[in-house]
Amino acid sequence: MNSKSTPPISKEDKLHILMFPWLAFGHMIPFLELSKLIALQGHRITFISTTKNIDRLPKLPRNLSSLITLVKIPLPKVEKLPENAEATSDLPYDKVKYLKMAYDQLEQPIATLLQETSPDWVIYDFAPYWLGPVVAKLGISSAFFSIFIATTLCFMGSPQTLMGLASDSRTKPEDFTVPPKWIPFHSTVAFRIFEINRIFDDVTGDDENIPATYRVGASVDGCDVVAVRSSYEFEPEWLPLLEEIYGKPVIPVGMLPPIPIDHDSDDDDEEWKTIKEWLDKQPKGSVVYVAFGSEAKPSQTELTEIALGLEQTGFPFFWALRKKSALVDTEEVELPDGFEERTKERGIVCTSWTPQLKILSHDSVGGFLTHSGWSSVVEAIQFQRPLILLMFLVDQGLIARLLEEKKIGYSIPRDDRDGSFTRDSVADSVRLVMVEEKGKVYRDKIREVKGLYVDGDIQDKYVNNLLNYFTLHRRRVKEAK
């Protein structure tokens, strides 16, 4: 992708697009990456989030700062939402519903902002299920941008099914452990019972919580077009099926691998310097990088088995560990007694923020033990790091099934009912993927797919396709008036 200069664009075809992601970094970052790619084509972006989140976003490339305006909007206070919690990473899972309640109170401020700015398009996330009708009333076109892949969306069903209005709506956790009848081809994509049990409250909802499934259904129902963080190269059969299920245009926007930007202060970054010095000393392809995203926190039992499994492998490791799921989390998990002392010569456990992209790009990394969050998967493919999968929340199980089908990732064996696993299964899985002959398929496949899935020219093609759709749609709307 050419990020050195923005091409000239005629005033008539210049778009103003407003971006409104959910308050999770796994959502905000892909929205920001898409914003950058759109701005590279000369279009204007207004990117909205809460005050604290805007301050925590990565710095914009200098050449795009005049085209992307970051707008801070105060998050309303809600009872039971801890002070200063503005993103899912600030909260344990059971308190995220209060963040959604606060987010829902942004409806009026967003409507006012839309009236003042009159963008050509609004691109919004699943959480503001109320935004589609607001935008339509103002005569503005809208796209629901899903950071969930097409496979996940297909599995969850039509807007009517998601909103509980269809006769085929699923009501029991067991209903989600088999592929639904509307998938016409063979697939192993389904939840395991422990995976759906962990998130079932977000399927059914409660007195305090509008379920995520309803939000997705209403967001799809209220938009003009659906954009998906995926590609036909990755999901050739799922994307056309999704268009059929939704009955409206579905446009993949590519995988959105992070665009490298100039880091003026990289050489002075003491934390990265220390990490790099350690990585430089390790043999090529020998290090296991372990990270489970900004939201997942293993239980104490899970943490113990992961740690002792890593110790068993004998491999060097770098572990980005969240001991607490948030500042307000009172249940801090602890590493096994003596673990850090026993592994200090070959392992690093980092409990602060870690530069994941830089670590994954280092030649010493030979495998990535991950929760299979989509952003982490894309980054692993970008740097050709084979995947060992250990899922915790949301659609991670569905992503893992698809990666398994494609031989891009290997899941640590677990008990289907409770999700438990052993240190032996952790050690065996890491060894299999990183060095054993049986795991060569995963090492070969991740190298093979990089050019297919995260190629810069392919990425540009998808963004241009989306922008062409937006431009033609705007012309048709103007002509109709």
Side-chain angles (χ1 to χ4, degrees):
M1 284 166 283
N2 178 14
S3 59
K4 290 178 184 170
S5 61
T6 53
I9 187 166
S10 70
K11 193 173 180 183
E12 187 187 337
D13 285 334
K14 198 175 199 176
L15 296 169
H16 175 206
I17 298 169
L18 185 141
M19 292 277 196
F20 187 45
W22 164 232
L23 307 179
F25 283 93
H27 292 243
M28 288 182 275
I29 298 301
F31 267 73
L32 189 61
E33 291 303 326
L34 182 57
S35 298
K36 291 178 195 172
L37 291 168
I38 291 171
L40 277 169
Q41 302 303 320
H43 303 282
R44 279 196 307 129
I45 297 288
T46 297
F47 188 101
I48 303 170
S49 193
T50 63
T51 306
K52 189 176 173 186
N53 289 328
I54 292 287
D55 289 340
R56 291 188 284 187
L57 288 174
K59 215 164 54 172
L60 290 172
R62 282 196 207 91
N63 61 318
L64 298 181
S65 56
S66 64
L67 288 166
I68 301 176
T69 304
L70 302 175
V71 175
K72 298 176 179 179
I73 191 162
L75 185 70
K77 292 193 183 301
V78 164
E79 193 184 349
K80 298 184 186 175
L81 180 65
E83 193 76 27
N84 295 322
E86 294 189 12
T88 54
S89 55
D90 299 327
L91 296 160
Y93 177 72
D94 63 344
K95 285 194 164 52
V96 170
K97 60 185 174 183
Y98 304 119
L99 187 64
K100 287 178 181 169
M101 290 165 69
Y103 186 81
D104 288 341
Q105 290 187 25
L106 293 175
E107 181 175 349
Q108 191 50 55
I110 293 293
T112 303
L113 188 64
L114 286 167
Q115 284 174 307
E116 290 169 356
T117 56
S118 295
D120 299 297
W121 279 86
V122 173
I123 300 179
Y124 64 91
D125 212 330
F126 83 98
Y129 67 100
W130 33 265
L131 190 54
V134 171
V135 172
K137 194 174 174 184
L138 294 169
I140 300 167
S141 301
S142 66
F144 163 54
F145 173 35
S146 171
I147 62 106
F148 304 108
I149 59 174
T151 303
T152 294
L153 297 175
C154 286
F155 181 87
M156 297 310 293
S158 68
Q160 290 68 37
T161 300
L162 288 159
M163 291 189 285
L165 305 175
S167 57
D168 56 12
S169 294
R170 293 163 285 187
T171 55
K172 306 188 300 295
E174 290 74 15
D175 296 339
F176 292 84
T177 60
V178 292
K181 62 188 179 187
W182 52 81
I183 295 177
F185 43 81
H186 173 72
S187 175
T188 59
V189 172
F191 284 107
R192 292 177 182 158
I193 193 70
F194 78 88
E195 292 167 344
I196 190 64
N197 277 337
R198 288 183 178 193
I199 60 164
F200 200 59
D201 61 325
D202 233 357
V203 174
T204 56
D206 57 38
D207 291 342
E208 297 181 304
N209 186 25
I210 293 162
T213 47
Y214 184 90
R215 289 174 185 270
V216 173
S219 293
V220 173
D221 198 45
C223 72
D224 295 303
V225 60
V226 176
V228 183
R229 187 189 185 185
S230 185
S231 69
Y232 286 113
E233 290 79 11
F234 182 70
E235 295 185 286
E237 63 278 85
W238 294 96
L239 283 159
L241 176 61
L242 187 62
E243 194 161 75
E244 197 179 305
I245 290 169
Y246 283 175
K248 61 176 61 183
V250 169
I251 303 175
V253 299
M255 303 297 225
L256 304 179
I259 302 174
I261 64 170
D262 296 330
H263 294 279
D264 298 330
S265 59
D266 270 7
D267 294 337
D268 303 321
D269 184 337
E270 288 304 319
E271 191 174 18
W272 168 240
K273 254 187 184 175
T274 305
I275 294 169
K276 186 177 182 300
E277 279 172 14
W278 182 83
L279 289 169
D280 287 345
K281 291 174 189 168
Q282 311 310 317
K284 184 176 178 179
S286 67
V287 175
V288 193
Y289 174 55
V290 186
F292 303 118
S294 60
E295 294 179 37
K297 183 191 84 170
S299 68
Q300 183 60 62
T301 302
E302 289 169 338
L303 181 82
T304 299
E305 296 305 311
I306 293 165
L308 297 178
L310 286 172
E311 186 176 356
Q312 268 188 41
T313 65
F315 297 161
F317 63 85
F318 188 101
W319 189 353
L321 173 63
R322 282 171 62 83
K323 296 178 85 171
K324 295 166 70 169
S325 61
L327 294 173
V328 296
D329 189 359
T330 54
E331 297 176 15
E332 185 169 319
V333 289
E334 297 294 342
L335 290 161
D337 285 347
F339 170 79
E340 287 180 277
E341 180 63 29
R342 293 192 303 272
T343 60
K344 67 182 180 184
E345 296 302 320
R346 62 178 175 87
I348 289 181
V349 179
C350 182
T351 55
S352 58
W353 179 85
T354 51
Q356 178 160 299
L357 273 178
K358 291 180 183 177
I359 293 170
L360 284 173
S361 69
H362 198 282
D363 282 348
S364 68
V365 175
F368 184 12
L369 174 50
T370 173
H371 58 316
S372 78
W374 190 226
S375 288
S376 289
V377 170
V378 170
E379 290 167 10
I381 294 169
Q382 187 176 4
F383 296 110
Q384 304 170 61
R385 306 299 176 217
L387 293 160
I388 308 111
L389 309 174
L390 189 66
M391 298 70 68
F392 292 95
L393 288 171
V394 205
D395 64 335
Q396 292 161 11
L398 301 181
I399 294 171
R401 301 300 98 74
L402 188 63
L403 296 175
E404 289 161 6
E405 282 185 3
K406 293 177 179 290
K407 300 292 185 191
I408 298 173
Y410 178 82
S411 293
I412 292 173
R414 301 171 80 162
D415 183 288
D416 271 357
R417 299 301 305 177
D418 63 12
S420 61
F421 55 90
T422 66
R423 61 202 70 176
D424 292 341
S425 63
V426 171
D428 291 347
S429 301
V430 170
R431 287 193 201 104
L432 176 102
V433 171
M434 285 184 60
V435 297
E436 288 178 6
E437 186 60 32
K438 266 179 23 182
K440 186 173 182 291
V441 62
Y442 302 103
R443 300 190 292 276
D444 290 347
K445 201 71 179 172
I446 203 85
R447 284 192 288 268
E448 180 189 313
V449 299
K450 184 204 170 176
L452 258 183
Y453 298 161
V454 296
D455 175 80
D457 292 336
I458 291 174
Q459 180 61 69
D460 288 344
K461 176 189 77 175
Y462 281 113
V463 172
N464 287 332
N465 188 42
L466 177 74
L467 291 170
N468 287 341
Y469 182 92
F470 280 4
T471 304
L472 290 170
H473 183 86
R474 184 178 68 167
R475 282 180 194 160
R476 284 196 296 268
V477 168
K478 282 184 175 176
E479 286 164 9
K481 288 178 181 176

